[in-house]
């Protein structure tokens, strides 16, 4: 078994499960921990985060499950709650507004991070910046451009193999670029599906999220690169599937596949 990595799952698909139920559920599937949403409609919300997140972490730890990351706000109440709960990273995606150019959008985001640095250092919590296709920080070089000047204990990289596949980057080259700041790897996979043409006859495309073996993200390649480079950290399977009726079945299949790849990289 590869003891350098820990397998977590983003629990977005299961908003109704209380922490104890959720811990038992993900443990049975084969996960070591979770990424917890801090969002309305979930057990931990932006309003109750100060009390609910440390309590959820305590309950889940009693079941042998850790909270490796959260997906939520980057305000002081959430950062303080993460520190109290022992959660080291808040994962975010950085969008670029349609009325803003890329460089101006990144510069504005960097000013926000720089204002947060004393707070992040005080609480010992990092912001994890994930690539996301579309009008976001979308690829490895953009992550590098946005965060390379910062200490990865404050601003780090969450490299997403699924969005990387949609953007067409080779995993080894992407990992070369983000390696100095990489603390979390997201595993998911998707394909592009053509849609009806627009009024100009231009075919439109949308992403369809699918299982590891069926999508554009090459999980064996990713696993081999990470093992060879000695990656230490969370491998988070995001449980993102367009077929919402079979999420439990699909994530169960993908965690077994992921574990096998990291134990015996191709």
């Amino acid at each position: 078994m590869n003891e350098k990595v820990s397998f977590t799952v983003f629990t977005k698909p299961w908003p109704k499960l209380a922490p104890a139920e959720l811990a038992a559920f993900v443990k049975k599937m084969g996960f070591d921990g979770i990424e917890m949403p801090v969002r309305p409609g979930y057990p931990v919300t932006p309003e109750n985060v100060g009390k609910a997140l440390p309590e959820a972490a305590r309950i889940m730890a009693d079941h042998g499950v850790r909270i490796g990351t959260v997906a939520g706000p980057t305000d002081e109440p959430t950062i303080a709650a993460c520190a109290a709960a022992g959660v080291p990273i808040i994962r975010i995606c950085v969008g670029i507004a349609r009325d803003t150019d890329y460089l101006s959008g990144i510069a504005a985001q960097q000013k926000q991070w720089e204002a947060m640095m004393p707070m992040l250092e005080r609480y010992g919590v990092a912001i994890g910046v994930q690539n996301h296709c579309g009008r976001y920080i979308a690829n490895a070089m953009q992550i590098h451009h946005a965060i390379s000047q910062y200490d990865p204990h404050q601003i780090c990289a969450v490299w997403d193999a699924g969005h990387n596949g949609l953007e067409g980057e080779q995993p080894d080259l992407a990992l070369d670029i983000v390696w100095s700041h990489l603390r979390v790897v997201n595993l998911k996979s998707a394909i592009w599906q053509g849609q009806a043409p627009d009024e100009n006859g231009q075919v439109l495309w949308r992403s369809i999220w699918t299982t590891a073996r069926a999508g554009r993200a090459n999980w064996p390649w990713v696993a081999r690169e990470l093992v060879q480079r000695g990656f230490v950290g969370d491998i988070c399977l995001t449980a993102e599937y367009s077929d919402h009726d079979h999420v439990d079945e699909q994530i169960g299949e993908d965690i077994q596949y992921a574990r096998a790849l990291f134990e015996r990289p191709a």
Side-chain angles (χ1 to χ4, degrees):
M1 179 178 176
N2 189 327
E3 296 182 353
K4 292 184 176 181
V5 299
S6 177
F7 289 94
T8 62
V9 61
F10 185 30
T11 57
K12 178 181 176 181
W14 307 285
K16 302 304 181 185
L17 292 183
E21 298 173 291
L22 187 60
F25 175 66
V26 302
K27 189 74 173 178
K28 184 177 180 180
M29 280 197 293
F31 289 98
D32 307 305
I34 70 165
E35 175 172 275
M36 176 165 278
V38 178
R39 297 175 179 176
Y42 287 85
V44 180
T45 70
E47 292 72 30
N48 71 15
V49 65
K51 180 178 179 181
L53 184 61
E55 178 67 5
R58 182 192 65 77
I59 292 170
M60 300 193 85
D62 289 342
H63 290 77
V65 174
R66 54 183 280 274
I67 303 176
T69 51
V70 303
T74 57
D75 54 15
E76 185 164 9
T78 305
I79 293 169
C82 285
V87 179
I89 297 170
I90 301 173
R91 176 184 63 84
I92 66 168
C93 297
V94 177
I96 309 297
R98 292 197 176 276
D99 60 352
T100 303
D101 66 89
Y102 172 79
L103 293 175
S104 298
I106 296 303
Q109 180 63 71
Q110 289 172 331
K111 286 183 179 178
Q112 292 181 31
W113 288 335
E114 286 157 13
M116 295 169 61
M117 287 298 171
M119 181 170 57
L120 294 173
E121 185 173 0
R122 181 167 72 251
Y123 287 110
V125 174
I127 304 301
V129 180
Q130 179 209 312
N131 56 300
H132 191 295
C133 68
R135 236 187 133 74
Y136 292 86
I137 287 179
N139 55 50
M141 186 57 74
Q142 289 178 355
I143 294 177
H144 176 79
H145 169 247
I147 75 170
S148 61
Q149 63 185 288
Y150 304 116
D151 186 330
H153 292 95
Q154 274 86 57
I155 308 290
C156 66
V158 177
W159 180 71
D160 190 294
H163 287 288
N164 182 88
L166 289 175
E167 289 294 327
E169 283 189 299
Q170 291 195 168
D172 56 335
L173 299 182
L175 289 169
D176 286 344
I177 294 167
V178 300
W179 187 254
S180 64
H181 283 63
L182 183 64
R183 293 181 63 183
V184 179
V185 171
N186 281 357
L187 282 185
K188 57 189 176 190
S189 201
I191 59 171
W192 288 116
Q193 184 179 80
Q195 305 297 296
D198 64 14
E199 65 275 11
N200 298 312
Q202 176 66 51
V203 173
L204 304 177
W205 296 83
R206 68 172 180 137
S207 56
I208 302 296
W209 294 94
T210 184
T211 56
R213 292 180 174 91
R216 287 178 53 84
N218 189 323
W219 286 25
W221 190 352
V222 172
R224 181 175 63 249
E225 286 292 328
L226 291 172
V227 170
Q228 288 178 350
R229 294 166 189 251
F231 174 72
V232 177
D234 283 349
I235 305 294
C236 183
L237 277 64
T238 65
E240 187 168 353
Y241 304 102
S242 296
D243 181 359
H244 300 296
D245 293 334
H246 296 91
V247 169
D248 293 6
E249 175 186 340
Q250 291 171 320
I251 193 62
E253 173 187 327
D254 277 353
I255 181 55
Q256 296 306 315
Y257 184 46
R259 282 193 172 276
L261 289 173
F262 278 85
E263 289 169 8
R264 298 180 299 277

